Amino acid sequence: MCIDGFSFMKYGTAASLAMVLLAYWFRSPGESGLDNRLDTVLSSLLRAESKVGMNNARPRVAIGLGGCVDVIVDGVTLLNKIGLPPTGQPLHHDYIETADQLAQSFAYFFAPGAASERFVINDTLFSQLVEASRELPDNRWAIGGNAPVMAGRMATEGCDVLLGGSFSPDFADILSQHITVAGNVVEEPDIHLILEYPSGATWGQYTARRANRYIVHSDDHNPYLASLQDFEVKLQDFHPDLLVVGGLQMMDSFPFQQGEREALLSRLGSLLSSSSPRTGVHFEMASFVDEGLMGDLLRLVLPHADSLGMNEQELPNLLSLLRGSNITVLSDPNPRVATVLDQMRALYRLVNQRYRDANEDSRPLTRLHVHTLAFQAMIVTCGSQWKNTMSAVAKASLTANRHVCGSPDIDPSKARLIMDESFSVSSKEGSQRIPLEETRPVSCWDEEDYEICVAPVLVCTEVYQTAGGGDNISAAGLVLQI
């Protein structure tokens, strides 16, 4: 096995352990053994997380690009507010131009409970949505964007961060003191609307199978990677241990002039290729539907990353494109472990085959992290720079609950396990089955030149927020592996 190290207990762990003990002592005798099992899994995950710390005092992480203001609202309430009735025809649209298309697109992803993000090309429609959101009593405002959210998590977990993004003075002031911003100051930041919904939410004849969000924006700054130049300059003296890139879905279906997008991604690719071989490079996937953009990413950006992070929708999407097929817009939102592991193996092999066939500027893929509602899964090349895989997967799992429940302390009474009692390591007939052991819930084993680790997620049953979940989970997993 790839060996894990030992160090100190991380933030939130002690309080969560105390909560487990309190839940045990005050539980009524009639409560089921299922609660005991959940408490044991939680305690074991907390121990796994706390076995290791970061390899140096404060790792230096550079994260780009972009930033915005998220306005978080209940999706069904917002659509009702603007008088948009449920559609009888769920349809996928690459971008949103009319209210009817918004209804069709929302219904398409709402029923299965799949995350999605779409560009609204109609400024009038988007302004109407923003104004209606402001009037909802339970709306929340937060710093948004993949890069700022990941930066916030990594600063919380003990990193010094260089963040490539543009923010208004008000929002820049509330960033962690451990985050240095590289980018222009803007007076009016772009707004992204986060239409959240819980599991079981209804909209007309549709019922959401799981909690998730549908995101819309009319962003005309972030698609141009406006902070790239300043980020590139400050990066020269920052000397990061890890370089993270996300937020490129802002380019999806955006009306660029001929050659603009390719030029921007070429410049980003050059920045990544010039980074030190000792600096890990992580690319965070997102919801992409523009095949032209995906093709540019495969050619200009992904070859320079040795780590990839994505969810259960983005994995088959990328894999389909690498296999020469069309983009997969909607996949199973609750896939089995065996299915995801087979897809991860295939992606790992295809990307590394492309690396072997490419020029010397590219990097091999040595780390692949997939986060789903029910479990976390990670492939790490043995002997690579990525350490502490078992603890990192446990931390990613716990962070999923902490973020979605909106608390650093995990309350077992507000969580449940939906991962199967045991899982097959592959969909191939006769594959080994691994039981979910309460006292050792993270399962790790070696295959070929890599290690695989799988951990169950303590799924939050009282959802505070799903938006930003993937960014928090990916960032937390990376922290222990730098």
Side-chain angles (χ1 to χ4, degrees), residues 69-212:
V69 172
D70 281 346
V71 180
I72 305 160
V73 298
D74 180 83
V76 173
T77 302
L78 176 61
L79 297 185
N80 290 338
K81 172 77 173 176
I82 65 170
L84 188 62
T87 179
Q89 189 178 22
L91 283 176
H92 156 67
H93 295 281
D94 288 348
Y95 55 86
I96 305 302
E97 190 169 10
T98 67
D100 286 343
Q101 288 179 345
L102 174 62
Q104 292 168 349
S105 181
F106 182 81
Y108 184 82
F109 293 100
F110 174 79
S116 185
E117 185 167 359
R118 290 295 178 269
F119 177 72
V120 179
I121 203 168
N122 183 332
D123 290 338
T124 302
L125 173 61
F126 188 74
S127 296
Q128 180 188 7
L129 291 167
V130 171
E131 289 308 310
S133 297
R134 293 179 191 270
E135 296 172 4
L136 294 179
D138 294 329
N139 74 69
R140 302 197 314 274
W141 294 63
I143 291 178
N146 300 84
V149 172
M150 294 186 78
R153 170 57 62 178
M154 288 188 148
T156 296
E157 300 291 348
C159 299
D160 288 328
V161 180
L162 176 67
L163 170 60
S166 301
F167 304 92
S168 65
D170 290 344
F171 275 83
D173 288 344
I174 64 174
L175 291 171
S176 165
Q177 63 178 343
H178 296 292
I179 297 177
T180 301
V181 175
N184 299 324
V185 175
V186 294
E187 293 304 320
E188 293 293 333
D190 287 285
I191 291 176
H192 293 193
L193 292 180
I194 317 297
L195 281 64
E196 293 264 356
Y197 50 85
S199 175
T202 59
W203 187 52
Q205 68 267 44
Y206 307 106
T207 300
R209 287 169 49 191
R210 54 168 283 191
N212 225 315

Side-chain angles (χ1 to χ4, degrees), residues 359-435:
N359 58 44
E360 296 179 356
D361 289 337
S362 62
R363 296 186 179 212
L365 178 63
T366 53
R367 181 182 182 275
L368 175 58
H369 179 191
V370 175
H371 42 86
T372 80
L373 178 67
F375 60 90
Q376 305 288 317
M378 195 178 291
I379 285 179
V380 172
T381 304
C382 288
S384 66
Q385 64 185 339
W386 310 105
K387 313 301 181 186
N388 309 321
T389 306
M390 185 272 288
S391 292
V393 174
K395 187 175 189 65
S397 171
L398 293 166
T399 301
N401 180 285
R402 289 166 179 153
H403 174 78
V404 175
C405 275
S407 171
D409 305 323
I410 296 175
D411 184 347
S413 70
K414 299 178 181 178
R416 64 189 177 107
L417 288 169
I418 62 174
M419 184 173 160
D420 292 336
E421 297 271 341
S422 66
F423 63 88
S424 294
V425 300
S426 172
S427 299
K428 294 179 180 177
E429 186 175 351
S431 295
Q432 176 190 359
R433 289 196 70 84
I434 296 179

Side-chain angles (χ1 to χ4, degrees), residues 212-226:
N212 225 315
R213 71 279 182 188
Y214 181 88
I215 302 174
V216 289
H217 68 91
S218 188
D219 196 326
D220 57 4
H221 291 103
N222 288 307
Y224 290 104
L225 310 183

Side-chain angles (χ1 to χ4, degrees), residues 277 279-282 304-308 363-367 385-386:
T279 300
V281 178
H282 174 82
H304 307 299
D306 36 30
S307 172
L308 297 177
R363 296 186 179 212
L365 178 63
T366 53
R367 181 182 182 275
Q385 64 185 339
W386 310 105

Side-chain angles (χ1 to χ4, degrees), residues 152-369:
R153 170 57 62 178
M154 288 188 148
T156 296
E157 300 291 348
C159 299
D160 288 328
V161 180
L162 176 67
L163 170 60
S166 301
F167 304 92
S168 65
D170 290 344
F171 275 83
D173 288 344
I174 64 174
L175 291 171
S176 165
Q177 63 178 343
H178 296 292
I179 297 177
T180 301
V181 175
N184 299 324
V185 175
V186 294
E187 293 304 320
E188 293 293 333
D190 287 285
I191 291 176
H192 293 193
L193 292 180
I194 317 297
L195 281 64
E196 293 264 356
Y197 50 85
S199 175
T202 59
W203 187 52
Q205 68 267 44
Y206 307 106
T207 300
R209 287 169 49 191
R210 54 168 283 191
N212 225 315
R213 71 279 182 188
Y214 181 88
I215 302 174
V216 289
H217 68 91
S218 188
D219 196 326
D220 57 4
H221 291 103
N222 288 307
Y224 290 104
L225 310 183
S227 57
L228 180 57
Q229 181 174 352
D230 198 17
F231 184 63
E232 189 173 9
V233 170
K234 291 188 177 180
L235 194 58
Q236 295 175 8
D237 297 324
F238 187 70
H239 306 297
D241 301 298
L242 175 68
L243 176 57
V244 179
V245 175
L248 300 188
Q249 73 274 16
M250 292 298 96
M251 293 179 154
D252 203 86
S253 302
F254 187 80
F256 287 106
Q257 297 296 317
Q258 181 85 24
E260 275 186 318
R261 184 182 67 202
E262 183 177 5
L264 288 166
L265 292 176
S266 293
R267 184 173 175 183
L268 176 59
S270 296
L271 170 64
L272 299 180
S273 67
S274 65
S275 61
S276 167
R278 296 185 300 275
T279 300
V281 178
H282 174 82
F283 179 70
E284 189 67 19
M285 285 289 294
S287 177
F288 294 102
V289 294
D290 185 335
E291 292 195 6
L293 172 59
M294 284 291 285
D296 286 346
L297 292 174
L298 287 177
R299 184 168 51 90
L300 300 171
V301 177
L302 264 68
H304 307 299
D306 36 30
S307 172
L308 297 177
M310 62 198 72
N311 66 20
E312 76 287 337
Q313 297 291 312
E314 296 149 9
L315 172 62
N317 189 0
L318 179 58
L319 182 59
S320 178
L321 204 65
L322 281 167
R323 285 172 165 167
S325 301
N326 295 328
I327 277 179
T328 304
V329 176
L330 183 61
S331 303
D332 184 356
N334 295 292
R336 307 297 291 268
V337 176
T339 302
V340 170
L341 292 180
D342 284 343
Q343 291 172 338
M344 291 176 70
R345 293 182 185 99
L347 180 62
Y348 179 87
R349 292 172 186 142
L350 282 170
V351 172
N352 281 317
Q353 184 59 54
R354 288 168 65 96
Y355 160 73
R356 288 188 288 271
D357 296 341
N359 58 44
E360 296 179 356
D361 289 337
S362 62
R363 296 186 179 212
L365 178 63
T366 53
R367 181 182 182 275
L368 175 58
H369 179 191

